[in-house]
């Protein structure tokens, strides 16, 4: 096996400049504080719960009344416990889905949980439970509202801003606000005043990330848990345009299948070829949103569709381990609890995730590499049955690594290629197999000197 050790970022850099004014432009793009915080806690839960839970639907149909919300209890403590067991660190609750029914005590409409059988502010109950258990809390607020009469007129922007203001004022410190781009194809045309919405959040919740139709976190582009080979965080600023997100989002209740495939995504969002033709760049990491079941809301008939631990672990590795954050949807049912099928899988998933780093063979913190470090060599004290390689860049210095190879020193004394990768970013997880005496991590291409926060090999 030809290792081509002399072909690394310090020498050929794959024929790309290691540092020039263009490279400087790319690496000057870094996360803001709340993006950085989110990427350090990359796994959190989506809870779809509301009128659709009561009616066993995925989308409302604009005919619902408060009476239809015939749910009498919710058990947020059980939700938070399930989330924690999976190793997730936050919850985003659908405070209002497209049907317009509000789970909090809004002053803007009577169409709300406090007026229904349950008579309680569900957002408050969930937020309080989160804060008591060290879980971050965030809100999903659907811009499209099929119930509100002002929808489609300028007054709706005022309505939406007022609701957003309530959520940003009365429910503690939000870590994320999730704006959905979905809207029925036959809904009234409407131009959302996104900037006004963002201004409310900037003023009232300056530490919150605004996701999807938002400026901090981009939607990966499908609902299947799939990612691109390279999920760049430094991308053209034009990707933040909400119109594009809206166009690709769900446009009908039966349109979900399309988003469970990935052929809607442009593959390359941030290679040098893309960046060089775009004047404005931004830090805009991807979020993978996917449901543990077929639907976003709970339906009994979906009980048999709960994803296996193996499937969820793969989604985790392909998202969290591929420079993305993962938002896993777990829908509570009509009894106000998360079904035991889901909680069982979540518990096992949590165990698998913590086992990944339980048995380190070597953990190191290389920092900024010097020109003598075209590759890093690791020798183990005995043959190790490796399971994972996990690397992180110090993303406060942007994302720099563009290509790397990983070789394992096999017990026969020969190196064998285990993986060829592209970007690393906040976290790269590579599954490994077989015994090894050591490893070589060769960075072939980088934007200036790589700054590696950590590298670990795990049994
Ligand atoms: C979609 C919505 O239409 C679905 O109901 C769900 O909320 C999903 C997360 O976003 O676009």
């Amino acid at each position: 096996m030809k290792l081509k050790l002399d072909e690394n970022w310090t020498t050929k850099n794959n024929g790309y400049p290691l540092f020039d004014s263009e490279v400087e432009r790319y690496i000057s793009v870094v996360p803001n504080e709340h993006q950085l915080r989110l990427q350090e806690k990359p796994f959190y839960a989506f809870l779809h719960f509301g009128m659709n839970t009561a009616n066993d639907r995925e989308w409302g149909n604009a005919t619902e009344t408060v009476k239809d919300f015939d749910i009498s209890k919710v058990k947020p403590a059980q939700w938070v416990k399930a989330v924690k067991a999976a190793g997730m660190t936050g919850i985003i609750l659908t405070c209002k889905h497209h049907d317009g029914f509000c789970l909090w005590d809004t002053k803007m409409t009577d169409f709300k949980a406090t007026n229904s059988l349950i008579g309680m502010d569900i957002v408050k109950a969930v937020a309080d439970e989160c804060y008591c258990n060290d879980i971050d809390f965030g809100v999903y607020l659907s811009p499209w509202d099929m119930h509100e009469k002002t929808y489609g007129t300028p007054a709706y922007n005022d309505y939406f801003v007022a609701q957003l203001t309530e959520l940003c004022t009365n429910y503690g410190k939000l870590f994320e606000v999730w704006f959905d781009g979905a809207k029925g194809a036959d809904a009234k045309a409407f131009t959302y005043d996104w900037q006004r919405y963002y201004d409310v959040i900037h003023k009232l919740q300056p530490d919150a990330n605004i996701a999807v139709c938002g400026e901090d976190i981009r939607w990966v582009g499908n609902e299947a848990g799939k990612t691109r080979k390279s999920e760049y965080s430094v991308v053209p600023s034009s990707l933040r345009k909400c119109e594009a997100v809206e166009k690709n989002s769900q446009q009908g209740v039966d349109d979900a299948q399309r988003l469970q495939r990935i052929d809607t995504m442009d593959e390359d969002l941030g290679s040098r070829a893309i960046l060089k033709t775009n004047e404005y760049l931004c830090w805009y990491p991807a979020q993978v949103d996917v449901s543990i079941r077929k639907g976003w809301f709970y339906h009994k008939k979906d009980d048999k569709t709960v994803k296996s631990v193996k499937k969820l672990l793969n989604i985790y590795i392909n998202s969290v381990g591929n420079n993305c954050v993962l938002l896993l949807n777990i829908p509570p049912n009509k009894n106000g609890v998360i079904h035991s099928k889901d909680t069982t899988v979540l518990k096992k998933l949590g165990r698998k995730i913590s086992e990944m780093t339980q048995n380190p063979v070597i953990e190191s913190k290389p920092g900024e590499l010097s020109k003598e470090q075209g590759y890093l060599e690791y020798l183990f004290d005995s043959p190790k049955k490796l399971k994972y390689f996990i690397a992180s860049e110090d993303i406060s210095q942007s994302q720099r690594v563009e290509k790397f190879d990983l070789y394992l020193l096999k017990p026969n004394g020969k190196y064998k290629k285990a993986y060829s990768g592209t970007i690393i970013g906040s976290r790269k997880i590579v599954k490994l197999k077989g015994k090894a005496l050591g490893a070589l991590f060769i960075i072939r291409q980088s934007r200036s000197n790589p700054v590696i926060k950590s590298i670990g090999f795990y049994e």
Side-chain angles (χ1 to χ4, degrees), residues 46 48 58-59 97-98 140 178 180 182 223 249-250 289 296-297:
F46 217 173
H48 273 69
E58 276 294 292
W59 275 18
H97 202 252
H98 313 322
Y140 165 110
W178 213 93
D180 200 334
E223 294 174 351
S249 297
Q250 207 174 323
D289 62 321
W296 290 101
F297 286 88

Side-chain angles (χ1 to χ4, degrees), residues 390-401:
I390 305 180
S392 288
E393 285 185 79
D394 177 354
I395 56 170
S396 69
Q397 308 289 317
S398 192
Q399 65 173 136
R400 300 185 175 205
V401 175

Side-chain angles (χ1 to χ4, degrees), residues 246-392:
E246 289 175 54
K247 202 170 128 248
N248 288 330
S249 297
Q250 207 174 323
Q251 284 156 25
V253 65
D254 300 325
D255 190 26
Q257 294 302 315
R258 177 175 60 87
L259 296 171
Q260 297 196 7
R261 302 191 303 264
I262 52 159
D263 50 7
T264 50
M265 303 199 298
D266 283 342
E267 182 57 28
D268 181 4
L269 299 183
S271 71
R272 292 196 201 204
I274 298 288
L275 300 190
K276 80 170 183 224
T277 57
N278 281 275
E279 190 178 352
Y280 300 105
L281 307 177
C282 64
W283 186 268
Y284 202 28
Q287 178 182 81
V288 172
D289 62 321
V290 61
S291 186
I292 194 167
R293 305 167 151 250
K294 185 159 177 270
W296 290 101
F297 286 88
Y298 178 86
H299 312 289
K300 179 137 193 51
K301 66 171 172 27
D302 285 354
D303 283 353
K304 53 185 181 306
T305 67
V306 175
K307 293 183 174 61
S308 66
V309 180
K310 191 170 167 212
K311 173 126 206 211
L312 291 171
L313 190 67
N314 273 332
I315 291 177
Y316 180 91
I317 291 170
N318 290 330
S319 54
V320 171
N322 191 19
N323 194 34
C324 298
V325 296
L326 172 58
L327 180 61
L328 177 64
N329 180 62
I330 323 154
N333 64 20
K334 237 183 136 159
N335 297 324
V337 292
I338 295 169
H339 193 280
S340 60
K341 279 212 167 183
D342 310 52
T343 55
T344 306
V345 166
L346 289 171
K347 216 185 271 171
K348 288 187 188 156
L349 176 67
R351 221 174 292 139
K352 289 266 177 220
I353 292 172
S354 65
E355 275 167 19
M356 285 170 85
T357 51
Q358 217 161 46
N359 298 312
V361 172
I362 282 183
E363 282 181 321
S364 74
K365 296 193 183 309
E368 178 163 352
L369 302 191
S370 69
K371 295 284 170 350
E372 284 71 54
Q373 292 175 295
Y375 56 89
L376 300 174
E377 191 169 16
Y378 298 90
L379 292 175
F380 312 145
D381 49 16
S382 58
K384 303 288 180 188
K385 218 172 154 223
L386 296 179
K387 284 197 182 140
Y388 295 105
F389 163 79
I390 305 180
S392 288

Side-chain angles (χ1 to χ4, degrees), residues 98-302:
H98 313 322
D99 50 70
F101 184 71
C102 300
L103 296 187
W104 78 103
D105 193 14
T106 174
K107 292 195 169 55
M108 301 306 295
T109 177
D110 291 336
F111 195 44
K112 55 183 177 181
T114 41
N115 274 353
S116 73
L117 173 68
I118 198 165
M120 72 185 273
D121 185 327
I122 298 173
V123 175
K124 178 142 183 31
V126 179
D128 286 351
E129 193 62 38
C130 284
Y131 298 130
C132 288
N133 287 283
D134 207 17
I135 289 287
D136 296 329
F137 181 68
V139 298
Y140 165 110
L141 186 65
S142 170
W144 178 39
D145 188 324
M146 55 174 85
H147 180 271
E148 171 52 31
K149 296 279 175 296
T150 58
Y151 189 85
T153 74
Y156 182 73
N157 276 321
D158 299 335
Y159 178 87
F160 193 82
V161 161
Q163 291 206 318
L164 186 60
T165 303
E166 290 174 344
L167 289 173
C168 286
T169 310
N170 303 326
Y171 299 92
K173 192 176 155 104
L174 307 179
F175 83 108
E176 188 168 312
V177 177
W178 213 93
F179 288 142
D180 200 334
K183 175 175 166 177
D186 48 6
K188 282 186 203 151
F190 186 63
T191 308
Y192 300 110
D193 194 345
W194 294 112
Q195 195 51 54
R196 214 175 136 203
Y197 309 166
Y198 299 164
D199 290 345
V200 171
I201 300 167
H202 292 160
K203 184 163 165 241
L204 300 172
Q205 294 284 348
D207 292 335
N209 281 283
I210 313 176
V212 183
C213 287
E215 42 187 20
D216 297 306
I217 307 293
R218 78 180 155 84
W219 180 41
V220 78
N222 69 85
E223 294 174 351
K226 301 266 172 66
T227 56
R228 298 166 179 83
K229 183 169 165 52
S230 311
E231 283 296 353
Y232 291 97
S233 296
V234 178
V235 294
S237 300
S238 55
L239 287 184
R240 281 178 165 159
K241 284 212 171 85
C242 297
E243 293 71 24
V245 179
E246 289 175 54
K247 202 170 128 248
N248 288 330
S249 297
Q250 207 174 323
Q251 284 156 25
V253 65
D254 300 325
D255 190 26
Q257 294 302 315
R258 177 175 60 87
L259 296 171
Q260 297 196 7
R261 302 191 303 264
I262 52 159
D263 50 7
T264 50
M265 303 199 298
D266 283 342
E267 182 57 28
D268 181 4
L269 299 183
S271 71
R272 292 196 201 204
I274 298 288
L275 300 190
K276 80 170 183 224
T277 57
N278 281 275
E279 190 178 352
Y280 300 105
L281 307 177
C282 64
W283 186 268
Y284 202 28
Q287 178 182 81
V288 172
D289 62 321
V290 61
S291 186
I292 194 167
R293 305 167 151 250
K294 185 159 177 270
W296 290 101
F297 286 88
Y298 178 86
H299 312 289
K300 179 137 193 51
K301 66 171 172 27
D302 285 354

